[in-house]
Each structure stands twice: as C-alpha cells, then as structure tokens.
Amino acid sequence: MTERCQGDTRPRTGPRARTAIVLAAAALLAATSAAFLPGTASAGTTLGASAAEKGRYFGTAVAASRLSDGNYTTILNREFNSVTPENEMKIDATEPQQGRFSYGAAEQIVNHARSRGMSVRGHTLAWHSQQPSWMESMSGSALRSAMLNHVTQVATHFRGQVVAWDVVNEAFEDGSSGARRNSNLQRTGNDWIEAAFRAARAADPGAKLCYNDYNTDNWTHAKTQAVYNMVRDFKSRGVPIDCVGFQSHFNNDSPYVSNYRTTLSSFAALGVDVQVTELDIQGAPAATYRSVVEDCLAVARCNGVTVWGIRDSDSWRASQTPLLFNSSGQKKAAYDAVLAALNNGTTPTDPPTTPPTTPPTTPPTTPPGGSCTATLQDSTRWGDRFNSQVTVSGASNWTVVVAVTPPQKVSNTWNGSPTWDSSGNVMTMRSNGSGNVFGFTTMANGTWTRPVVRSCTVS
Ligand code: 9MR
C-alpha cells in the first residue's frame, strides 16, 4: 500500500470509485492482518531501527558528561532512538537552590537526542532521593508546595520535548508490607503522588505521565501488587496517569522472573502503557536479555525498553558488567540476543481499535521539489500507533517534508535527521547517510489519517 508524495486523497464518490475503495480497503485489511502475523522477520540492524519496526523504542540512559566521548556517542547515535538523562533532570540537578533552576546539562542531552530523531524520557520530577539539601530539610505544606512548584516548572520548561515523564519515582517500600515508602514527601500526605501527576498534566498535557519503580517485576511480590492497586485506584478516580515504568535492575538478589510478562500485561490491562525503564542484568546473560525483550514485545502496550547505560564502564554497577556493550564499546552476546529478539519477535495480536483510513485512489503527481521522489508506505499498525516508511529516489542528499494530522504526533524516527515546525505536525527529514529509506512512528491519538509527503527536494 503506497502513496506517492502529493497524492490527492480526496474520496471519489461514483460506483466505480466505491468498488475501488472496497477493493483497496480489503487489500489494506489483508496487509494489516499480515502485519500482525507472528514471527514476521525484519531486517533491522540496530536496536533502535529494529525496535521502531515493531512500533517500539530502544533507549539508553545518557550522562551529559560522556557526550564528548566519541566511542560513546558513536554507539549512542547508531543504536538508540530514545534517551533518558541518567541524573541531569533529577531534582538536585534542576533546582539546586530553591526557585533557581538549572537546565544546562539536561538540555545538552535533550538537544543531542532530538536533533537526531531520538525521543526523550524525563526522569524524574518527584523522588525521595537526590533531593537538593534545601528540599531534604523541608516538610509539611511548605514541602508539598515546593514539590508541586518543581514539577510545574521543570515539566513546563521541557514541554513538548519529553514524550514520557517519570513523574514520581520509587514511592513504595521494599519487602512484604506493600506500604508507601516513609519519606518527607509521603509525610506531606498520602495524596502527594496524585497531586504531582495533576501538576505534571497541567504543565505538559502532551507528555505521557508514568509512575516508575524497581522490584516491581515479580507479579507475586507485595510491592508489585501495591503499585498495581495504586494505578487501578488512580484510573478509577481519573488521576492522570498514562504509564508505569519497570526499572528492571536484575541481579542475583533480585533476578528476572518468568512471570514478568504477566506483570507487564496485568498493568497494561488497567489501561496504562508499560515501559522497561532502567534495564540492566548482572553478568548480562543473553537469554535473560532476550526474555525481557520478548516479554515487552508480547504486550501491545509495552512501548519500549531502556537500558541503564551503554557500555559496562558507563553502568552504576560497572563491576557486574550488566550492559549490552563491553567497556571498549564492543557488542556482547546479550546485544545479539536483543537484536534477534527485536527482529524475530512477534507483534501484538490485538487488532487496531479503529479501522484504517481509506487508502488513496488517485495516481501520484510530480513533487514540487522536482528532482527527487518520495514514496510513503504503510507499515505495521497497532492499537494506538502506526509506522510509515518513506523511500526516496533520485538523490542521496534529499530533504523530505511529511505532515501528520493533529492530534497525531510522531514519536520515533529512524534513518534520517528530523526537524519539526512550531506546530510539531510537519516534519522535515534530511538524509543522514543511512540510505534512501527512512521511517517514523505516529501516535494516532484517535486519528488514523495517513501522513502526507509534501515535498522532496535535493539539499
Ligand atoms: O545511575 C544513577 C547513578 O549515576 C546515580 O549516582 C544514582 C543516584 O541515586 O542514581 C542512578 O540511577 C538510579 C535511577 O535514577 C533510579 N533508579 C535506580 C537507578 C540506579 O541507582
């Protein structure tokens, strides 16, 4: 199912046109069904591109201080299409003195990522840890106000640039109590978490808002159940929560368990997205990495996987060598297992929630740019999003302009360097040396209109 740029998508209305529409719709449905067949192989050669072909992202934590390390950024730019600042968006980094905000290091990461088509996860707005000393010594209503102001200021500053925020991090106790963690924030009142989510929604209505925690992987654990009950309660009362992050720091004391997929799917069934947010595994066993990725791919609402660092030497647990690249930046066996899982993984079996739009019925026209042609092709479609692929012919130094229909949003791109207009709906994609085929994921947000190629020009 292809659309050349500048194709006229207006529906025709005569009997022949109706026949054409029915036939074309049947073909599209067949193509869509095929896209949901398990085991569809794809030719992705990097983590990000392979994940994107499955409608997911593959991300990493990034430290601003390492962006000057060429080995590090080469791997980052080649392999990943999502980034989480490891420490630079935390409270002590962004508001070191009360009311005085500091965004430099976070912006460095955000700009690096977005200029290369990577999305950004924001981490984290409200947390008992890594508080600046002024906040650590606060309590009661003054702390509540300061926390809400922090959430509002930081989320407003990065509005439109962060696809998902860890609004609240690690608010539950470990062990069997299922209780909230006893922190200065908790002592401001049990409603501090929902208050933080409401403030974040008001500040950045377009971002997904996540609750993020560790030791919530085993479905039978009290902490997992406690977080589940909180999310269920929030959904039932309309508290604005969109996603749950599973840090997934696996080690010998806190190993991966086979009911992890049950945990992800059970949360997703509450009506939230799920994300693997800080994955690292002691010793980096390939089979375990593979299982985690397969579990995510098996759950339609699992948006993607973030590993907590690139090379073992970048890890907060470097001695456990828990990552996908060794300290020299070479791929480990776990890398191969993850890539294979992304390429061979089954796509979710649940059908799209909205019927696809009628495909175009008119022949292509010549693009105004004149000297190259861009052809848009539908790719995989999920319940909330779809992929498109654009093939350019006629030039290697191309610039292609693509528009999506609001409230659609492009959440991921691959094999090109994108910039957006101020509305965020028109993407200008430039060749970046990765060839003449680029792709992108569009979050439908209820609208399934196909993106339109507006022009193809030679730079
Ligand atoms: O990786 C982070 C490390 O550089 C910091 O020193 C540490 C400070 O608390 O935080 C690490 O990241 C944590 C993340 O923000 C929340 N989940 C646990 C992560 C590992 O400790």
Side-chain angles (χ1 to χ4, degrees):
M1 201 57 52
T2 61
E3 179 196 1
R4 292 246 170 162
C5 65
Q6 298 297 296
D8 181 351
T9 57
R10 286 171 298 171
R12 296 188 293 178
T13 50
R16 273 179 54 206
R18 273 198 296 276
T19 307
I21 290 170
V22 168
L23 288 174
L28 180 61
L29 278 174
T32 306
S33 314
F36 289 98
L37 284 177
T40 308
S42 69
T45 54
T46 66
L47 303 173
S50 294
E53 286 174 3
K54 295 286 189 292
R56 323 299 170 111
Y57 59 80
F58 205 95
T60 179
V62 162
S65 60
R66 297 186 200 272
L67 288 175
S68 54
D69 174 340
N71 180 260
Y72 181 85
T73 51
T74 297
I75 303 170
L76 169 63
N77 299 347
R78 186 186 69 218
E79 296 288 344
F80 297 95
N81 60 356
S82 168
V83 152
T84 305
E86 186 172 359
N87 290 297
E88 294 77 355
M89 284 182 169
K90 291 174 179 174
I91 314 172
D92 58 354
T94 49
E95 195 177 356
Q97 294 162 294
Q98 188 170 15
R100 301 186 69 160
F101 291 85
S102 163
Y103 296 118
E107 283 172 346
Q108 209 187 327
I109 296 174
V110 170
N111 294 339
H112 183 101
R114 282 172 51 79
S115 66
R116 290 165 177 80
M118 306 169 188
S119 56
V120 178
R121 296 194 78 261
H123 174 82
T124 173
L125 295 170
W127 191 20
H128 69 277
S129 182
Q130 277 182 277
Q131 292 182 0
S133 52
W134 64 264
M135 186 180 271
E136 273 176 335
S137 60
M138 285 181 97
S139 62
S141 59
L143 173 60
R144 173 67 71 93
S145 303
M147 180 274 286
L148 293 177
N149 182 55
H150 180 85
V151 171
T152 300
Q153 297 295 328
V154 178
T156 300
H157 182 82
F158 289 105
R159 177 161 47 204
Q161 301 185 59
V162 168
V163 295
W165 271 108
D166 291 333
V167 177
V168 170
N169 198 37
E170 303 176 358
F172 282 80
E173 292 284 7
D174 292 313
S176 58
S177 71
R180 293 280 186 88
R181 182 188 295 275
N182 181 9
S183 70
N184 61 348
L185 291 168
Q186 180 62 28
R187 290 190 293 274
T188 69
N190 205 49
D191 62 344
W192 74 275
I193 298 179
E194 60 195 85
F197 274 86
R198 291 197 169 96
R201 178 69 97 225
D204 186 359
K208 285 184 187 178
L209 304 182
C210 302
Y211 175 79
N212 190 52
D213 215 330
Y214 66 92
N215 280 353
T216 48
D217 318 291
N218 188 327
W219 179 237
T220 66
H221 276 179
K223 187 171 173 181
T224 310
Q225 291 298 313
V227 174
Y228 177 85
N229 288 334
M230 178 188 74
V231 175
R232 186 171 55 185
D233 171 53
F234 280 9
K235 291 300 284 183
S236 75
R237 290 190 295 111
V239 176
I241 184 168
D242 306 305
C243 40
V244 176
F246 297 84
Q247 294 185 9
S248 307
H249 293 292
F250 294 121
N251 56 44
N252 298 343
D253 298 325
S254 175
Y256 167 82
V257 279
S258 58
N259 67 28
Y260 186 62
R261 190 179 299 193
T262 302
T263 302
L264 298 180
S265 61
S266 300
F267 275 83
L270 291 175
V272 288
D273 289 346
V274 294
Q275 305 177 345
V276 181
T277 52
E278 304 182 16
L279 179 64
D280 48 22
I281 312 176
Q282 182 169 11
T288 314
Y289 261 107
R290 180 177 196 123
S291 296
V292 172
V293 172
E294 287 175 346
D295 290 343
C296 179
L297 290 175
V299 177
R301 295 196 72 150
C302 184
N303 307 142
V305 174
T306 298
V307 286
W308 206 238
I310 297 178
R311 304 163 302 193
D312 285 332
S313 50
D314 303 319
S315 170
W316 70 299
R317 287 177 163 167
S319 65
Q320 294 185 2
T321 60
L323 294 175
L324 300 179
F325 295 86
N326 70 17
S327 297
S328 311
Q330 279 152 349
K331 296 169 183 172
K332 296 164 58 176
Y335 172 95
D336 297 331
V338 166
L339 189 64
L342 291 169
N343 285 336
N344 298 327
T346 57
T347 47
T349 49
D350 48 347
T353 51
T354 312
T357 50
T358 307
T361 54
T362 51
T365 56
T366 309
S371 39
C372 59
T373 305
T375 305
L376 186 142
Q377 189 165 28
D378 296 331
S379 181
T380 313
R381 197 180 277 260
W382 293 269
D384 60 348
R385 63 200 185 282
F386 57 92
N387 279 0
S388 308
Q389 187 166 293
V390 177
T391 304
V392 184
S393 60
S396 56
N397 53 340
W398 42 264
T399 298
V400 175
V401 177
V402 180
V404 299
T405 305
Q408 292 176 341
K409 279 274 177 263
V410 174
S411 59
N412 255 325
T413 70
W414 56 99
N415 293 349
S417 297
T419 53
W420 280 270
D421 75 342
S422 56
S423 72
N425 303 316
V426 180
M427 174 173 75
T428 299
M429 183 70 94
R430 293 186 172 78
S431 58
N432 69 352
S434 303
N436 67 340
V437 180
F438 70 87
F440 57 98
T441 303
T442 304
M443 299 306 301
N445 294 326
T447 298
W448 293 88
T449 311
R450 161 188 283 171
V452 174
V453 175
R454 289 194 173 166
S455 65
C456 183
T457 51
V458 178
S459 314

